[in-house]
Amino acid sequence: MNISTPAERLELLAASYALGTLRGGARRRFETLAREQAPVRAAALIWQGRLASLTELEASTVPDAAVWTRVRNQIEVEKEEQALARQRAAAAPADAPPPRGWLRSLALWRGATAAGALATVLAVVVGVNLRDELRNAPNVRYVAVLSDDKAAASMLVTFDPTKRQLTLQRVGEYSEGEDKSLELWALPPGGAPRSLGVLDRAPALRLAVAESEVREVPALAISLERKGGVPRGQGPAGPIVFKGALIEKML
């Protein structure tokens, strides 16, 4: 099954997965496809990064005071119901049968109502910020998930031709050490590896790159080099630690 076409379907599924609204069998099928198909895995990582940035970069939004008043009132009602239920249980004969049907689930239902109110507040806040995030989202044209020799994803790479910007996000726990540097390479067909830049240790890094440097490049790689990277004009001197196909997204 290929869900990467049309592109809109993949974007919707990846957004739903990252937001948590894709559930049950659909979520498990999406995770299976993400393990098998690099474009699906990349889309999921991109959307997870977008939503994570909402809590890091966006200004906090305070819900209306009336919402919290309703939540507190609901919690107080639940406490009163539970206290009353304990009193009735203490006064009832020892061999009295336990409550049945909807009466037994009343406290659970009220608790779920309060939780639902909190979830609604969160959904509204996320929805407002998500619209702004989508409005300002980068124009991702190329994407790559770079993995190690055990197929564990370690770096997400995206390219925005409008900004001429290559963005790298670390998604693994790899650490190169204080005396080493990671260097990104384009692997053109039939040509020598071409350096696209030396990476720092930040979780996310942006490099200025012209589209001509990544167009028709089938794969990217990251090598482990001495601190500062290799001298200009030379190829990788250290081992290749991550590698992956560079995919042009469908418009």
Side-chain angles (χ1 to χ4, degrees):
M1 178 181 179
N2 187 355
I3 65 170
S4 61
T5 54
E8 293 81 0
R9 181 194 306 168
L10 175 57
E11 291 296 311
L12 287 173
L13 287 171
S16 298
Y17 177 80
L19 190 58
T21 56
L22 190 67
R23 299 176 180 176
R27 188 176 185 87
R28 290 191 293 272
R29 287 192 294 272
F30 184 87
E31 290 173 341
T32 299
L33 290 171
R35 287 191 292 269
E36 298 172 351
Q37 300 179 22
V40 180
R41 184 163 64 251
L45 290 171
I46 289 172
W47 273 101
Q48 286 172 337
R50 285 176 178 173
L51 294 176
S53 68
L54 294 177
T55 58
E56 298 173 359
L57 302 178
E58 295 291 334
S60 59
T61 302
V62 179
D64 189 274
V67 174
W68 297 117
T69 300
R70 289 196 295 270
V71 171
R72 285 193 293 268
N73 290 343
Q74 189 63 58
I75 293 174
E76 290 301 321
V77 169
E78 181 185 350
K79 288 181 178 179
E80 292 175 3
E81 292 287 346
Q82 291 176 346
L84 183 59
R86 286 194 293 269
Q87 292 175 3
R88 289 174 177 171
D95 58 348
R100 301 177 61 183
W102 68 272
L103 288 173
R104 186 171 65 178
S105 61
L106 179 59
L108 177 61
W109 179 84
R110 291 188 181 277
T113 301
L118 289 172
T120 300
V121 172
L122 179 60
V124 170
V125 172
V126 171
V128 171
N129 288 334
L130 183 57
R131 283 196 295 272
D132 294 336
E133 180 75 11
L134 290 174
R135 198 175 295 120
N136 301 318
N139 174 28
V140 176
R141 181 71 177 275
Y142 299 86
V143 63
V145 179
L146 307 187
S147 306
D148 59 19
D149 56 1
K150 298 179 181 179
S154 297
M155 192 79 69
L156 173 66
V157 184
T158 58
F159 179 72
D160 183 345
T162 305
K163 298 180 179 178
R164 298 182 179 180
Q165 190 173 81
L166 199 66
T167 301
L168 296 93
Q169 294 176 274
R170 297 189 184 224
V171 294
E173 301 297 328
Y174 183 84
S175 176
E176 58 270 35
E178 294 296 329
D179 60 338
K180 298 289 184 180
S181 291
L182 295 179
E183 190 158 354
L184 178 67
W185 302 87
L187 305 179
R194 183 174 65 251
S195 177
L196 296 177
V198 178
L199 314 184
D200 59 27
R201 291 176 174 78
L205 173 68
R206 292 175 174 82
L207 301 174
V209 174
E211 186 173 1
S212 59
E213 295 187 71
V214 296
R215 187 188 299 118
E216 298 181 1
V217 171
L220 300 176
I222 292 179
S223 64
L224 180 64
E225 306 292 350
R226 63 185 181 183
K227 191 174 181 64
V230 301
R232 183 181 296 274
Q234 296 186 16
I240 299 296
V241 290
F242 310 125
K243 185 177 180 181
L246 181 64
I247 303 165
E248 183 174 5
K249 293 182 63 179
M250 294 184 62
L251 299 178

